[in-house]
């Protein structure tokens, strides 16, 4: 039986038709992102063969050693977004300040982007899945290049958010607030095809993902939750399975498909944890909520937190609603 493959472009255009006032800017913006993702994907797949592994001998704003692929991916997304003319500013994990587009395009660009161009890049040498995380807001300022004010918006203002996972297959997963859909890249023709329509966390879940190497530094409530996950109780599918690969996009994507909670807690030394609110936690939180799940910092809904700076960090817990709420119970009880 022949079946109609729905491409990402067809899907986006179809969805655009549901917004009578849409003029195609978001459609073009999402396509700009998909185009850059295909080019980054090509470099990642060849990374073991050409001299693009390794580091560039400098650190990013986070104090993390920049990998050649980090820089390549960052340059590629910035070039695609700047050239597309639909956005007027970008906040990137790789850049200290907002990249503002002061050109004739910036008058047209009514969106701003917060992006982690290549998350988990410390895993590149180990050939572990890595990802790009992106989020799109409408600009707040009226004209000229976008500013910090345009980027420091709560997740509730998100227009769209998504990630690309460069793994055994390359997938683009995104939401515009009407559910989550996943597209798999057919590398033979360079087209993203709808492969995972209406993604939702499964009703049952039994995975927990956390770097247990930091266990002794976790808040007592998190320690107690981890012990809860390890207890034997068949009615609640416990003990849960521990799965953690150290790449947010890969860990989250597996948990979305198979059912599981992801935890990156704060510690006494780093009370806000490691993950960045603007371009890691909030886009993933939007997807989690749209897939029937939840995302919190342990007490507040991630989507409601008003960011105060571009690179601020946040404790991050996300997964099926009942799993996150159970964790919040432990945190509330024990702090
Ligand atoms: P840790 C990758 O560096 C990253 O930012 C996320 O992709 C990942 O979830 C986290 O850090 C892993 O951190 O401390 O467990 O190695």
């Amino acid at each position: 039986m022949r079946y109609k493959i729905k491409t990402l472009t067809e899907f986006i255009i179809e969805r655009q038709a549901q917004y009578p006032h849409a003029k195609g800017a978001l459609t073009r913006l999402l396509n700009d992102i998909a185009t850059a993702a295909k080019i980054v994907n090509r470099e990642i797949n060849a990374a073991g063969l050409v001299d693009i592994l390794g580091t560039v001998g400098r650190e990013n704003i986070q104090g993390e050693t920049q990998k050649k692929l980090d820089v390549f991916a960052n340059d590629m997304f910035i070039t695609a977004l700047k050239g597309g003319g639909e956005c007027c500013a970008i906040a990137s994990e790789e850049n200290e300040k907002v990249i503002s587009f002061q050109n004739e395009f910036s008058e047209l660009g009514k969106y701003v982007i917060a992006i982690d161009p290549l998350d988990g890049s410390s895993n590149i040498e180990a050939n572990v899945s890595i990802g790009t995380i992106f989020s799109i807001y409408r600009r707040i300022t009226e004209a000229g290049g976008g500013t910090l004010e345009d980027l420091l918006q709560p997740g509730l203002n998100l227009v769209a958010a998504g990630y690309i996972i460069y793994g055994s297959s390359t997938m683009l997963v995104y939401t515009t607030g009407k559910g989550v859909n996943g597209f798999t890249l057919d590398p033979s023709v360079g087209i993203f095809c709808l492969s995972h329509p209406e993604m939702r966390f499964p009703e049952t879940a039994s995975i927990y993902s956390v770097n247990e190497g930091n266990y002794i530094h976790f808040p007592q409530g998190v320690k107690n939750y981890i012990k809860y996950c390890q207890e034997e109780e068949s009615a609640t599918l416990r003990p849960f399975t521990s799965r953690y690969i150290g790449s947010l996009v890969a860990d989250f994507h597996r948990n979305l498909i198979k059912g599981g909670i992801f935890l990156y807690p704060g510690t006494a030394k780093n009370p806000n944890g490691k993950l960045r609110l603007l371009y890691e936690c909030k886009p993933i939180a939007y997807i989690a909520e749209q897939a029937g799940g939840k995302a919190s910092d342990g007490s507040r809904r991630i989507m409601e937190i008003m960011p105060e700076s571009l690179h601020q960090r946040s404790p991050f817990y996300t997964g099926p609603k009942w799993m996150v709420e159970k964790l919040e119970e432990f945190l509330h009880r024990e702090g």
Side-chain angles (χ1 to χ4, degrees), residues 48-239:
L49 303 173
V50 297
D51 178 27
I52 196 163
L53 285 176
T55 65
V56 291
R58 62 173 186 262
E59 292 183 341
N60 64 10
I61 169 63
Q62 325 293 338
E64 295 164 345
T65 306
Q66 274 190 319
K67 309 278 185 186
K68 290 177 183 172
L69 268 175
D70 280 329
V71 174
F72 177 84
N74 196 42
D75 293 349
M76 200 43 60
F77 279 103
I78 291 170
T79 303
L81 291 165
K82 196 168 183 175
E86 303 303 344
C87 82
C88 60
I90 297 177
S92 167
E93 188 212 30
E94 298 300 329
N95 296 78
E96 182 179 0
K97 298 194 182 315
V98 169
I99 303 158
S100 178
F101 304 152
Q102 297 279 8
N103 55 33
E104 72 283 1
F105 284 144
S106 58
E107 295 304 323
L108 306 173
K110 61 180 183 180
Y111 294 105
V112 295
I113 311 276
I115 188 167
D116 185 350
L118 204 57
D119 179 77
S121 56
S122 55
N123 292 293
I124 290 173
E125 286 87 344
N127 204 9
V128 164
S129 299
I130 51 183
T132 296
I133 307 170
F134 64 88
S135 44
I136 302 172
Y137 298 88
R138 274 187 197 76
R139 71 179 302 169
I140 294 172
T141 54
E142 297 298 315
T147 66
L148 185 61
E149 180 194 354
D150 292 309
L151 268 304
L152 297 184
Q153 299 189 46
L156 292 173
N157 293 359
L158 275 165
V159 171
Y163 58 80
I164 296 101
I165 178 168
Y166 309 98
S168 48
S169 65
T170 295
M171 277 190 70
L172 186 151
V173 175
Y174 85 100
T175 182
T176 56
K178 290 180 180 277
V180 178
N181 289 280
F183 300 79
T184 299
L185 180 66
D186 177 341
S188 65
V189 290
I191 295 176
F192 279 107
C193 304
L194 181 62
S195 54
H196 296 65
E198 301 307 322
M199 297 176 81
R200 292 184 68 80
F201 285 104
E203 285 309 310
T204 59
S206 57
I207 292 173
Y208 73 101
S209 304
V210 64
N211 183 343
E212 295 195 53
N214 300 324
Y215 178 86
I216 58 168
H217 303 297
F218 287 157
Q220 190 56 45
V222 172
K223 289 180 179 173
N224 294 349
Y225 179 73
I226 291 173
K227 290 305 161 206
Y228 165 83
C229 293
Q230 295 166 347
E231 287 165 354
E232 189 95 35
E233 190 195 61
S234 54
T236 51
L237 303 179
R238 288 182 292 150

Side-chain angles (χ1 to χ4, degrees), residues 28-46:
R28 287 188 293 274
L29 190 50
L30 288 167
N31 272 303
D32 292 342
I33 290 170
T35 301
K38 291 179 205 172
I39 296 167
V40 170
N41 176 64
R42 183 193 61 206
E43 290 305 300
I44 288 172
N45 290 342

